[in-house]
Amino acid sequence: MADMNDLVSLCKRRAIIFPSSEIYGGINSCWDYGPLGAELKRNIKEAWWQTIVQRRDDVVGVDTSIIMHPEVWRASGHVENFTDPLVDCKSCKQRFRADHLSTERCPECGGELTPPRQFNLMFKTYIGPVEEKAAEVYLRPETAQGIFVDFKIVQAASRLRVPFGIAQIGKSFRNEVSPGNFIFRSREFEQMELEFFVDLKHDDEWFEYWVEERFRWYLDLGIRPEKLRKRAHRPDELAHYAKACYDIEYEFSFGWQEIEGIAHRGQYDLSQHVKHSGKDLSYYDDLTGEHYLPIVIESSAGVDRALLTFLADAYTEEEERVVLRLHPRLAPVKVAVFPLLKKSDLVEKARAIEKELRRHLVVAYDEAGSIGRRYRRQDEVGTPYCVTVDYQTLEDQTVTVRDRDTMAQELISIDRLLPYLKEKLDW
Ligand code: ATP
């Protein structure tokens, strides 16, 4: 199992993910994604967007504002209920979420804890130059509300008929009491959310459908089945309006943890916005002539949590190397090109191949150090293929293609290289 410290140190060493503002000493639980991390994150979002939006005819995408009208958060219940119970240790002054503790005394020093206080997780800021109550706004703690408030305009303009979905990827902010476990829980993160609107008769079917679809998405992208499970919420865990909820969980080195939630939210969200905005958000079914508020099935995944899942699952220590066995679709770099030696004729040829491949794939070029070292460098960031140009290349136009997982090498002629790679990468 990938030890979090090893993963964190690899991410730091290769500038995949590292603490934000580090030259100023960093800032607790804020993270920057470097070049490889940014590619990996894009690939995850792209895979989600393609599956959920582009390859379906019943889901459309939106990109809504992070700062919304403050009434949105009263309607959604976040102002009143989006709180965590907070306790402080009277001895060591550490702060904990009461619902995360299994003991009555401080888990750090055994000291006495204060009674729990409710702490709202939403970040506040001000609109305009005057810091007064009337100008107070929140940074969104979830992307979903942007979808609910735009439900009507998007449905009408796209001429969508139930069942249909609206999806969004974007940043969310939560002033978490105890962030941690690397990027697992941070205060600024990205979400990929789908709100799927269904009629009043087929809600259970659609709920089951989305639980299965979302579970399969992780498996299709290479997560080991024994590390992934669905967990139904107990009745006492469910929000009062929710009819059912499943968490998709992954077994990290710090235990089984939620990476995504799929919830049957009933008519709660739309009816709250009808109540607070005074606007009619009902859907008109022109077949039956009925007006009604659709039921919402929600899938809510964290981009950063998915990324940590893919990293942890891919991280493998072998005798002589560390290898990230990432699914080729997710791998930040698809192919690396090396000249065997730093000789001008080999370099020139390798550069020409790199240039051609770059038109189609994300490519790395490396001429520093032994071939063995260069392979290791690519293995640990998950590059599926390495292409080496040697003297034989100059004679017969073949290159050596080396596979990350099997380490097997194959001679391929340059004119077949791109189709070969595309097929292997399932591009
Ligand atoms: P928890 O109980 O762990 O705080 P939650 O049940 O409140 O989480 P949701 O509101 O269901 O979480 O959020 C949906 C998804 O958004 C989560 O499954 C997770 O992937 C992601 N997410 C939520 N909070 C964070 C965070 N602080 N950092 C990173 N990702 C997060």
Side-chain angles (χ1 to χ4, degrees):
M1 189 180 298
D3 180 79
M4 228 8 90
N5 291 331
D6 295 334
L7 202 55
V8 172
S9 83
L10 169 65
C11 286
K12 176 92 194 275
R13 186 155 40 82
R14 299 302 303 269
I16 301 170
I17 307 163
F18 45 91
S20 163
S21 325
E22 234 197 340
I23 61 166
Y24 291 98
I27 169 165
N28 188 15
S29 94
C30 295
W31 302 95
D32 288 349
Y33 289 77
L36 296 167
E39 282 297 332
L40 176 57
K41 204 181 196 194
R42 279 177 60 101
N43 293 344
I44 291 170
K45 292 191 279 185
E46 191 82 10
W48 187 89
W49 193 258
Q50 274 187 1
T51 309
I52 298 293
V53 182
Q54 294 175 337
R55 295 199 176 145
R56 301 182 63 102
D57 62 4
D58 56 355
V59 178
V60 294
V62 294
D63 186 347
T64 72
S65 178
I66 285 174
I67 296 173
M68 302 176 73
H69 193 293
E71 194 60 24
V72 168
W73 307 109
R74 280 187 272 280
S76 67
H78 283 83
V79 169
E80 202 179 335
N81 301 320
F82 197 56
T83 55
D84 277 340
L86 185 77
V87 291
D88 292 299
C89 172
K90 290 180 180 170
S91 311
C92 73
K93 309 291 177 212
Q94 285 226 52
R95 193 157 272 189
F96 305 97
R97 250 172 82 169
D99 59 330
H100 281 180
L101 295 180
S102 52
T103 52
E104 305 248 308
R105 293 178 106 40
C106 173
E108 292 295 325
C109 75
E112 196 190 334
L113 300 170
T114 59
R117 287 173 290 136
Q118 291 300 327
F119 170 76
N120 195 295
L121 299 183
M122 284 195 294
F123 277 99
K124 268 188 207 156
T125 187
Y126 297 92
I127 286 264
V130 188
E131 293 192 8
E132 58 184 20
K133 192 83 185 158
E136 218 169 71
V137 290
Y138 301 100
L139 302 186
R140 68 178 177 201
E142 60 175 35
T143 64
Q145 297 305 323
I147 296 177
F148 296 131
V149 301
D150 290 349
F151 164 75
K152 195 83 184 189
I153 185 172
V154 173
Q155 183 268 325
S158 313
R159 289 185 286 138
L160 293 161
R161 307 188 57 176
V162 162
F164 70 89
I166 305 178
Q168 157 149 255
I169 300 178
K171 287 250 171 160
S172 293
F173 303 83
R174 297 182 186 182
N175 202 356
E176 297 278 0
V177 173
S178 40
N181 285 323
F182 195 25
I183 54 170
F184 181 81
R185 187 182 301 285
S186 47
R187 296 195 168 108
E188 173 182 342
F189 55 96
E190 268 182 285
Q191 289 184 309
M192 308 182 279
E193 296 196 293
L194 165 71
E195 308 302 325
F196 200 77
F197 301 93
V198 304
D199 67 30
L200 313 184
K201 293 190 199 83
H202 299 92
D203 51 331
D204 292 338
E205 282 161 50
W206 278 109
F207 178 63
E208 295 302 325
Y209 169 85
W210 280 112
V211 171
E212 293 311 316
E213 278 294 296
R214 293 305 306 142
F215 192 73
R216 200 157 51 90
W217 186 77
Y218 293 95
L219 298 178
D220 286 349
L221 288 171
I223 297 296
R224 287 167 292 169
E226 67 272 20
K227 294 289 206 168
L228 202 66
R229 72 179 186 194
K230 298 170 218 150
R231 191 182 68 80
H233 277 207
R234 299 182 309 271
D236 64 309
E237 280 180 280
L238 284 176
H240 65 89
Y241 48 80
K243 192 166 156 196
C245 185
Y246 274 94
D247 284 347
I248 296 179
E249 298 185 334
Y250 180 78
E251 190 181 23
F252 292 98
S253 56
F254 48 95
W256 286 96
Q257 301 287 341
E258 170 189 339
I259 55 174
E260 167 163 355
I262 297 106
H264 180 312
R265 301 181 59 90
Q267 294 165 306
Y268 175 76
D269 307 279
L270 291 178
S271 66
Q272 284 295 104
H273 287 302
V274 168
K275 214 184 287 172
H276 282 253
S277 69
K279 298 286 185 320
D280 175 15
L281 299 181
S282 64
Y283 169 79
Y284 175 63
D285 186 334
D286 51 9
L287 288 178
T288 61
E290 280 175 305
H291 289 269
Y292 64 92
L293 287 181
I295 287 186
V296 168
I297 309 296
E298 172 182 86
S299 137
S300 176
V303 176
D304 314 77
R305 259 186 217 184
L307 191 144
L308 186 63
T309 305
F310 289 119
L311 275 182
D313 205 63
Y315 184 91
T316 321
E317 276 177 15
E318 294 177 0
E319 227 164 79
E320 291 191 346
R321 62 175 189 160
V322 166
V323 52
L324 275 188
R325 294 178 182 275
L326 286 170
H327 189 284
R329 256 192 96 176
L330 301 183
V333 173
K334 308 302 181 199
V335 53
V337 179
F338 312 146
L340 179 66
L341 300 166
K342 225 165 153 176
K343 294 276 171 27
S344 61
D345 44 357
L346 295 180
V347 167
E348 199 179 310
K349 189 75 185 167
R351 283 292 193 189
I353 292 172
E354 177 212 351
K355 193 173 170 202
E356 176 56 25
L357 291 178
R358 219 177 253 293
R359 295 172 52 214
H360 308 272
L361 300 165
V362 178
V363 182
Y365 174 84
D366 190 0
E367 57 182 28
S370 71
I371 282 288
R373 277 186 72 124
R374 284 182 261 171
Y375 283 153
R376 302 289 171 271
R377 245 178 246 146
Q378 297 301 325
D379 286 344
E380 68 174 11
V381 298
T383 306
Y385 293 97
C386 294
V387 170
T388 303
V389 169
D390 57 19
Y391 284 108
Q392 198 180 333
T393 311
L394 303 182
E395 279 168 28
D396 66 3
Q397 302 293 313
T398 60
V399 287
T400 306
V401 180
R402 183 259 198 187
D403 181 297
R404 175 195 73 195
D405 296 337
T406 62
M407 296 195 277
Q409 304 192 2
E410 218 180 321
L411 276 182
I412 302 288
S413 72
I414 292 174
D415 55 4
R416 276 190 50 232
L417 182 60
L418 185 63
Y420 173 90
L421 289 171
K422 279 188 165 175
E423 194 197 318
K424 291 274 189 187
L425 293 164
D426 198 14
W427 207 245

